[in-house]
Amino acid sequence: MAVRQLSKDVFSVGAIDWDRQIFDELIPLPDGTSYNAYLLRGRVKTVLIDAVDPAKQKELFLNLNELDISSLDFVVANHAEQDHSGAIPAVLERYPMAEVITNPKCKGFLMDLLHIPEEKFIEVHDGEELDLGGMTLKFIYTPWVHWPETMSTYLQEEKILFSCDFFGSHRAASNLYVEDECKVLQDAKRYYAEIMMPFRQQIKKNLEKLSLLAIDKIAPSHGPVYDRPSLIIDAYRDWVSDSVNKKVVIAYVSMHGSTQRIVDVLTSNLIKKGMTVVPVNLSVSDVGQFAMELVDAGALVFASPYVLAGMHPAVVYAAYLTNALRPKAKVVASVFSYGWGGRGAEQLRNMLSSLRAEFFEPVLIRGNMLDKDAGLLGDIVDRMGGLLSHV
Ligand code: FEO
């Protein structure tokens, strides 16, 4: 991978991971990812902001070689997760004089996770500054994007914010800056949905804090750099806001077509009410796509056959994720297709205890739905239409 230059003394030296397909053994990466690291050459001090995943440390070192970096004063660790910090021990081995700058919480994580000795750290507190000689770094705590210790680093003279995961997107691309805004926004929304959505109240505070800064560029640690920061800041403001869209996400699985029929009827009737409807067939969709649809949905529907006396396991998984991600939907409905019985309805309600939404009474339909049963769905459609008519 080539070194890319943001300005005279600021370089992108991280690695692109074109082939990575899954993160945390959970999140699909349809577009690969990158682990961005930045090298800043001040008149007096040289700093590396974040490192890379250990699997890519060779590329980081090749890039540092290309810039003839024979000595390094500091490594700023904005975040302790190993896709950014994992190569720090190797960096310290190669540059034994380098010290790690981070906040106390992140320091504790790095000591636990990577066994970096305590004497290698310099702790910084929120708002503290560091003079590199003609370049001033300001450390700004931006926690819970998705770990509690994450901070951002702001290069005051050039108004560049190094935000780590915050504002990032999983996309492997050779361009340094955002080229296709729509694609990057989709990737960033997916990433926000997968790991940040449960912390939207805290992220609101982070956005308020950053609004006090003049920012010309946002350089995250995944995906391209934003040279039009309002693109991603405005998108985040929308995602973390309390407002929702007139959109219904239907998460479902069908074993023999009965639940599919229910979903088809619901979908067409909700469309007739003027809603945007997103049926998510859980047997073929990925969790990232599902999570992304939850970001701005006003209403959710879970539709499941009863199997083994409860919900289908794919719907159990979707409900578990939904509860963990805590989307801001205002309404939740459920429909179950059954043959003789089961306890899926109670199971679902118990699993969604974190949601602050209005729950409709579950609808249970026996066997393959007859036209007369379709009336049972009418209540869901009418009430959702009414509740979302004002959004
Ligand atoms: Fe990209 Fe939370 O690490």
Side-chain angles (χ1 to χ4, degrees):
M1 182 191 155
V3 171
R4 291 164 302 167
Q5 195 163 14
L6 277 82
S7 66
K8 180 172 160 288
D9 291 308
V10 179
F11 303 89
S12 176
V13 293
I16 302 174
D17 199 337
W18 303 96
D19 297 326
R20 189 156 180 179
Q21 294 183 336
I22 194 156
F23 199 88
D24 290 346
E25 301 307 318
L26 172 68
I27 298 166
L29 300 180
D31 299 311
T33 192
S34 65
Y35 319 109
N36 304 341
Y38 300 94
L39 193 282
L40 279 59
R41 232 170 0 202
R43 274 200 314 274
V44 182
K45 301 288 186 189
T46 301
V47 175
L48 179 68
I49 298 183
D50 289 321
V52 297
D53 191 278
K56 292 287 176 185
Q57 68 190 35
K58 188 172 163 199
E59 292 182 34
L60 170 67
F61 290 143
L62 286 173
N63 288 340
L64 295 174
N65 287 347
E66 197 176 317
L67 290 172
D68 288 327
I69 303 299
S70 56
S71 73
L72 188 68
D73 297 287
F74 305 115
V75 183
V76 172
N78 279 327
H79 177 31
E81 194 169 10
Q82 292 91 329
D83 52 324
H84 311 291
S85 70
I88 292 178
V91 171
L92 296 178
E93 203 172 307
R94 183 181 161 123
Y95 300 103
M97 302 305 289
E99 294 173 289
V100 181
I101 295 179
T102 193
N103 60 71
K105 194 168 275 184
C106 189
K107 170 183 150 184
F109 289 170
L110 290 172
M111 289 171 64
D112 290 343
L113 294 170
L114 300 172
H115 304 151
I116 298 173
E118 185 159 21
E119 60 272 19
K120 292 299 290 180
F121 288 94
I122 298 175
E123 286 186 8
V124 287
H125 296 98
D126 194 17
E128 207 170 316
E129 294 180 8
L130 176 72
D131 183 8
L132 308 178
M135 287 179 155
T136 314
L137 297 183
K138 184 172 185 154
F139 305 103
I140 300 158
Y141 287 13
T142 45
W144 291 115
V145 289
H146 55 131
W147 282 19
E149 87 310 0
T150 308
M151 64 181 195
S152 298
T153 299
Y154 178 61
L155 175 55
Q156 292 190 162
E157 289 76 4
E158 302 195 32
K159 302 184 178 66
I160 303 176
L161 184 77
F162 301 94
S163 59
C164 205
D165 283 344
F166 198 13
F167 304 125
S169 61
H170 283 305
R171 170 165 289 272
S174 59
N175 48 295
L176 176 61
Y177 293 103
V178 172
E179 283 183 354
D180 185 328
E181 293 191 341
C182 289
K183 267 191 196 163
V184 173
L185 274 188
Q186 282 299 99
D187 288 334
K189 185 177 185 182
R190 186 184 248 265
Y191 190 39
Y192 164 84
E194 291 162 341
I195 62 169
M196 297 180 208
M197 185 158 50
F199 311 111
R200 68 186 179 93
Q201 299 304 343
Q202 181 59 52
I203 293 172
K204 266 185 207 176
K205 290 182 194 159
N206 291 341
L207 290 172
E208 276 169 32
K209 202 170 180 181
L210 295 181
S211 70
L212 304 174
L213 301 176
I215 300 174
D216 283 352
K217 290 178 187 171
I218 293 179
S221 290
H222 296 291
V225 174
Y226 300 89
D227 52 2
R228 194 170 76 78
S230 60
L231 174 75
I232 191 66
I233 291 174
D234 289 348
Y236 261 74
R237 284 205 180 110
D238 183 36
W239 299 336
V240 302
S241 75
D242 294 333
S243 65
V244 294
N245 292 342
K246 211 178 278 188
K247 168 175 152 182
V248 183
V249 174
I250 306 177
Y252 77 99
V253 164
S254 187
M255 290 161 62
H256 297 286
S258 302
T259 308
Q260 183 69 59
R261 185 148 181 254
I262 290 168
V263 170
D264 290 346
V265 169
L266 266 179
T267 300
S268 56
N269 288 342
L270 286 164
I271 290 171
K272 282 179 199 156
K273 283 274 177 194
M275 312 278 199
T276 299
V277 187
V278 184
V280 178
N281 184 341
L282 298 167
S283 60
V284 292
S285 69
D286 72 54
V287 294
Q289 184 66 36
F290 174 56
M292 187 166 64
E293 297 299 351
L294 296 179
V295 169
D296 43 19
L300 311 179
V301 180
F302 291 86
S304 177
Y306 274 4
V307 54
L308 302 173
M311 285 191 291
H312 189 286
V315 183
V316 171
Y317 184 44
Y320 175 84
L321 275 178
T322 303
N323 196 55
L325 294 173
R326 283 180 267 152
K328 56 189 178 182
K330 312 289 185 203
V331 190
V332 178
S334 55
V335 190
F336 300 94
S337 168
Y338 74 103
W340 50 92
R343 301 182 64 81
E346 300 93 305
Q347 194 182 10
L348 180 70
R349 186 63 189 86
N350 291 335
M351 289 190 73
L352 297 178
S353 58
S354 295
L355 269 55
R356 302 284 166 264
E358 180 177 339
F359 283 76
F360 292 175
E361 277 299 305
V363 171
L364 283 83
I365 296 176
R366 184 169 190 148
N368 200 4
M369 188 173 68
L370 297 166
D371 287 343
K372 68 178 176 56
D373 299 323
L376 294 169
L377 305 176
D379 191 41
I380 292 179
V381 173
D382 290 343
R383 288 178 66 196
M384 272 188 184
L387 285 166
L388 296 185
S389 63
H390 307 300
V391 303

